[in-house]
Amino acid sequence: VYLIRDFGKGKTPSPDVSDAEELCYRLMNYIDTHIYSIRSLPEVAESFNYNYGYLSGLFRKTTGRTLMEYLTNRRMETAKALILDGKHKIGEIADSLGYSPYSFSRAFKKKYGVTPGKYRKE
């Protein structure tokens, strides 16, 4: 990911994007790029210098879903890709995404309807 910033020009807000939408986009981008290192959402809020309760409410109001739902969905999509890749054990995938093996299996089954082991076999 490349970040290009022009320091010579002042920030010109886009009339189509509100400050709340921009902050939510930044939150989603942060979660997407730090999926393996995030251990808690208050930790994410702290990195943005915001209160977790404020960010959680703003995110839900703006996107219609909670920060936890977004994080869980991204973790499960990442897990699905890693399982299909076949290079890692299920336990390693669970650990790398911040889950215990049991909670990972339960979350994966809730999202996709099958356990990670059965998903890999299919």
Side-chain angles (χ1 to χ4, degrees):
V1 176
Y2 291 101
L3 179 64
I4 301 172
R5 181 179 283 172
D6 186 358
F7 289 103
K9 299 179 181 177
K11 180 181 176 188
T12 54
S14 171
D16 298 338
V17 179
S18 70
D19 289 340
E21 290 171 330
E22 182 181 343
L23 181 56
C24 288
Y25 174 77
R26 288 178 44 224
L27 277 167
M28 290 186 282
N29 185 53
Y30 183 87
I31 289 170
D32 291 348
T33 57
H34 294 84
I35 196 74
Y36 296 109
S37 62
I38 294 173
R39 294 297 174 226
S40 71
L41 287 171
E43 169 189 305
V44 173
E46 188 176 305
S47 69
F48 278 80
N49 294 319
Y50 281 97
N51 176 285
Y52 171 68
Y54 171 76
L55 279 184
S56 180
L58 180 75
F59 193 86
R60 183 176 185 115
K61 182 180 173 187
T62 305
T63 66
R65 58 186 168 171
T66 66
L67 266 173
M68 182 55 78
E69 288 171 340
Y70 184 78
L71 176 61
T72 301
N73 282 335
R74 296 302 297 151
R75 282 178 170 170
M76 291 298 108
E77 289 171 9
T78 302
K80 184 178 173 183
L82 290 172
I83 288 169
L84 289 175
D85 185 35
K87 294 181 182 177
H88 304 284
K89 295 179 182 177
I90 303 291
E92 292 172 347
I93 295 169
D95 187 51
S96 69
L97 293 171
Y99 286 99
S100 71
Y102 174 75
S103 62
F104 173 69
S105 182
R106 196 172 68 194
F108 193 90
K109 186 172 183 175
K110 182 179 179 182
K111 172 86 173 159
Y112 297 111
V114 294
T115 63
K118 286 184 182 177
Y119 185 79
R120 178 175 272 169
K121 288 177 186 176
E122 294 175 0

